Amino acid sequence: MQKKLYVIAAAVCVALFLGLAGCAKKNVRHLASDVCLITPERTTKEQVLTYLGQPDEQYEMAEGGETWVYYDVKKTALSDTPYIGDKIGDKKYEMVKVKFGGDIVQTCVYRLLSDEEFAEGESAK
């Protein structure tokens, strides 16, 4: 009888573990809150890497300096619905643009873009 209970308890633990492991996804970015940690004229590149991670885009400016761009997609729960999620769900795009002068942040801008605004911005590049 005790062996049967042990097997059931072990099976429940394994099922819970596998269920939790299945919920694990990619690292989650919190651009809206993490960008508040950046102070222009004070924050360094190393600190930006610590707060926001590796940039999604990185380019040199013609007037000197460097710009890092971060993107993240925020979806509603309905967006993940199979087959119809793209039609009924809503997506917003977070974008953070950090401009450096040397090793120090010069400007830092956060924007929340709609699908249309994001598409227009991508075609303008």
Side-chain angles (χ1 to χ4, degrees):
M1 181 69 169
Q2 279 192 344
K3 185 175 182 179
K4 186 176 180 180
L5 287 175
Y6 175 74
V7 170
I8 291 172
V12 169
C13 289
V14 168
L16 285 173
F17 176 75
L18 291 176
L20 290 175
C23 293
K25 291 186 177 184
K26 66 175 184 159
N27 289 340
V28 177
R29 281 186 170 171
H30 300 285
L31 291 179
S33 60
D34 292 345
V35 76
C36 295
L37 300 169
I38 298 171
T39 306
E41 304 294 331
R42 287 185 151 178
T43 307
T44 65
K45 282 184 181 180
E46 190 65 35
Q47 290 171 315
V48 172
L49 284 172
T50 300
Y51 301 149
L52 301 177
Q54 290 294 324
D56 296 310
E57 291 181 21
Q58 196 171 337
Y59 50 91
E60 298 289 324
M61 303 299 294
E63 65 274 3
E66 188 175 7
T67 299
W68 291 358
V69 182
Y70 296 86
Y71 297 105
D72 197 20
V73 179
K74 296 295 179 192
K75 299 180 188 178
T76 60
L78 294 175
S79 296
D80 290 332
T81 305
Y83 306 111
I84 60 171
D86 290 338
K87 294 171 183 55
I88 62 173
D90 187 31
K91 280 194 250 183
K92 297 285 185 184
Y93 298 87
E94 290 183 315
M95 181 186 75
V96 174
K97 189 178 278 192
V98 183
K99 292 185 182 180
F100 295 95
D103 190 45
I104 303 294
V105 172
Q106 297 301 307
T107 61
C108 181
V109 178
Y110 170 85
R111 292 198 56 208
L112 186 61
L113 307 169
S114 66
D115 271 332
E116 297 81 27
E117 291 171 323
F118 186 74
E120 287 173 12
E122 287 298 309
S123 64
K125 284 186 179 178

